[in-house]
Amino acid sequence: MRREEVGIGESTPLGVSTLFRTLGGGGNVSGPGIFMLRTMAIGSCAGPSAVYAPPPPQPSVFGTGSLPFVLGASVSFFTFSMMYYRSCVRQAMLAVERYPHLMLLHIDGNYPGQKWDMARLRSVVSGRGGGGWVDQSMLVAAWQTAGGALDEIQTQKENSMVARILEQTARLDVPDPKQLE
């Protein structure tokens, strides 16, 4: 599938950016846009399926299933969306602890009008900073756009580790010249 650059280090299918431009959303899809799309997808898929997971008793109890389904799907959408958000906050906090400078770069890219520095970043991660969910949401958006760079870092670490393992294994596989005689 053809891909297009999005924000800093993140890519998305070409159709999503085109859809945003068509609907008046501007150029690139940034961190908040990526998070909103993923949340809608997760909530939309999980909401109705959670209502149908057990056998639906609504028609037999209430005579109709419409209102109970709508209420159940809404509660499920909200629940799954909040679970996804909390998971994203945990992942963003881990990324800040491991790669603070990278995350600061992406926060600045997503929110150029905000004044973020390392002290503010550390205070949000430690829980001592003000801002609460607003700052956490900014970190989540930065984590979304940093996804490509974080994946690349992980891939390079993995490749380095595999190379070391192969090197050690190759040394073990080499027969001792004295045994060959």
Side-chain angles (χ1 to χ4, degrees):
M1 176 180 287
R2 207 170 127 208
R3 300 184 83 71
E4 177 179 316
E5 273 307 304
V6 177
I8 303 172
E10 177 70 27
S11 62
T12 188
L14 183 61
V16 174
S17 292
T18 305
L19 176 66
F20 273 154
R21 282 192 204 103
T22 305
L23 297 175
N28 291 334
V29 181
S30 64
I34 294 168
F35 175 75
M36 285 185 273
L37 282 173
R38 290 179 180 167
T39 302
M40 286 188 296
I42 288 171
S44 296
C45 293
S49 62
V51 173
Y52 281 122
Q58 301 99 339
S60 58
V61 174
F62 301 109
T64 179
S66 353
L67 185 58
F69 174 80
V70 168
L71 293 175
S74 298
V75 168
S76 297
F77 179 90
F78 177 77
T79 302
F80 281 99
S81 296
M82 288 306 297
M83 288 170 54
Y84 176 65
Y85 173 75
R86 289 174 42 185
S87 172
C88 287
V89 168
R90 282 192 299 272
Q91 294 291 329
M93 294 296 182
L94 282 173
V96 169
E97 288 175 8
R98 291 178 182 160
Y99 313 106
H101 295 285
L102 176 67
M103 292 299 289
L104 190 59
L105 174 72
H106 283 273
I107 290 172
D108 286 339
N110 283 307
Y111 302 100
Q114 297 288 322
K115 301 221 188 244
W116 279 82
D117 56 10
M118 291 306 284
R120 182 176 176 187
L121 200 59
R122 284 190 206 101
S123 69
V124 171
V125 171
S126 69
R128 291 177 284 134
W133 67 270
V134 174
D135 285 347
Q136 288 180 350
S137 297
M138 288 182 187
L139 288 179
V140 167
W143 173 70
Q144 296 280 330
T145 57
L150 293 170
D151 289 344
E152 185 176 333
I153 290 169
Q154 182 65 28
T155 300
Q156 288 180 7
K157 281 183 174 181
E158 185 176 322
N159 290 342
S160 173
M161 185 180 291
V162 168
R164 278 184 274 147
I165 291 170
L166 290 174
E167 184 179 303
Q168 290 172 351
T169 306
R171 275 190 252 139
L172 293 175
D173 289 342
V174 175
D176 186 11
K178 293 178 183 176
Q179 292 177 349
L180 296 175
E181 295 174 359

